[in-house]
Amino acid sequence: ARVVCRQLGFADAERIDVDVPGGDGPILLDDVECLGDEERLLDCASRGLGQHNCVHSEDIGVVCTNNAVGGGPDHCIDDAFEPNDDAESAALFIPGNAGELQICAFDADFYEVTVCPDGRLVATIDFDATEGDLDMELLSENAASLDASEGIGNQERVEWLNISGVQATLFVHVYGFMGDEASYSLSVDTEGCL
């Protein structure tokens, strides 16, 4: 519970809640064993990403404290995906939308996305450019730049078509222009993939 809350940007966990309705999406982790000092749930021992022998009736909830980690009123507070400051610590991102994300000064956010053969990845960030200008880049697994968007408006967009014939792992890299800070939302779609 402490690792989950830490990953979400909270100071600590209050309790585990076993009386929650089961989910309906993919089960990504099972038999998770944390020591409590890990930064991310993926750093804990488990069967491995996507490996499980359970059902959603075994789902549990975590109640976190309201004291967010990082910064006071004059400091930037990182978002729930931190630490995702490079490709090695990239946050696994399931296609969809995420809001209330934050870039702090001279920070970078990396999101790992899987694209099926013949699938098209389209990633978009929306933000208020009066807060700070954000840019984004799409990188291959070996760090080659596949697309970049460095406009001056309130939106950046990258896309890539997977013609390799095999599943590809890509990284969406979001960063502030010249160290700018801004809150943003991220939308990722993998067209043609289930």
Side-chain angles (χ1 to χ4, degrees), residues 105-125:
F106 299 102
D107 187 17
D109 285 347
F110 284 79
Y111 303 94
E112 180 180 333
V113 182
T114 302
V115 183
C116 66
D118 300 318
R120 177 183 300 275
L121 178 135
V122 178
T124 306
I125 55 171

Side-chain angles (χ1 to χ4, degrees), residues 2 5-6 8-13 64-70:
R2 285 190 163 133
C5 290
R6 182 179 302 117
L8 292 175
F10 291 92
D12 204 356
C64 301
T65 64
N66 290 326
N67 299 324
V69 171

Side-chain angles (χ1 to χ4, degrees), residues 79 82 84-87 90 93 98 101-104 106-112 123-127 132-139 147 149 156-158 171-177 180-188:
D79 59 56
E82 287 294 336
N84 62 333
D85 300 327
D86 53 38
F93 197 90
L101 303 175
Q102 181 70 40
I103 288 287
C104 294
F106 299 102
D107 187 17
D109 285 347
F110 284 79
Y111 303 94
E112 180 180 333
T124 306
I125 55 171
D126 289 290
F127 56 96
D133 186 33
L134 301 184
D135 294 321
M136 70 188 301
E137 183 177 25
L138 188 61
L139 302 170
D147 194 14
S149 182
E156 303 290 347
R157 174 186 166 114
V158 292
F171 297 97
V172 176
H173 173 208
V174 180
Y175 55 97
F177 173 75
D180 280 352
E181 296 183 352
S183 58
Y184 68 100
S185 63
L186 172 64
S187 173
V188 174

Side-chain angles (χ1 to χ4, degrees), residues 22-33:
D24 59 7
I27 297 172
L28 297 177
L29 291 172
D30 186 20
D31 295 335
V32 178
E33 295 181 23

Side-chain angles (χ1 to χ4, degrees), residues 124-168:
T124 306
I125 55 171
D126 289 290
F127 56 96
D128 184 349
T130 60
E131 284 184 54
D133 186 33
L134 301 184
D135 294 321
M136 70 188 301
E137 183 177 25
L138 188 61
L139 302 170
S140 71
E141 196 167 16
N142 63 1
S145 180
L146 303 173
D147 194 14
S149 182
E150 299 173 335
I152 58 171
N154 292 342
Q155 185 181 82
E156 303 290 347
R157 174 186 166 114
V158 292
E159 65 180 88
W160 179 75
L161 177 62
N162 183 2
I163 59 172
S164 69
V166 297
Q167 182 171 293

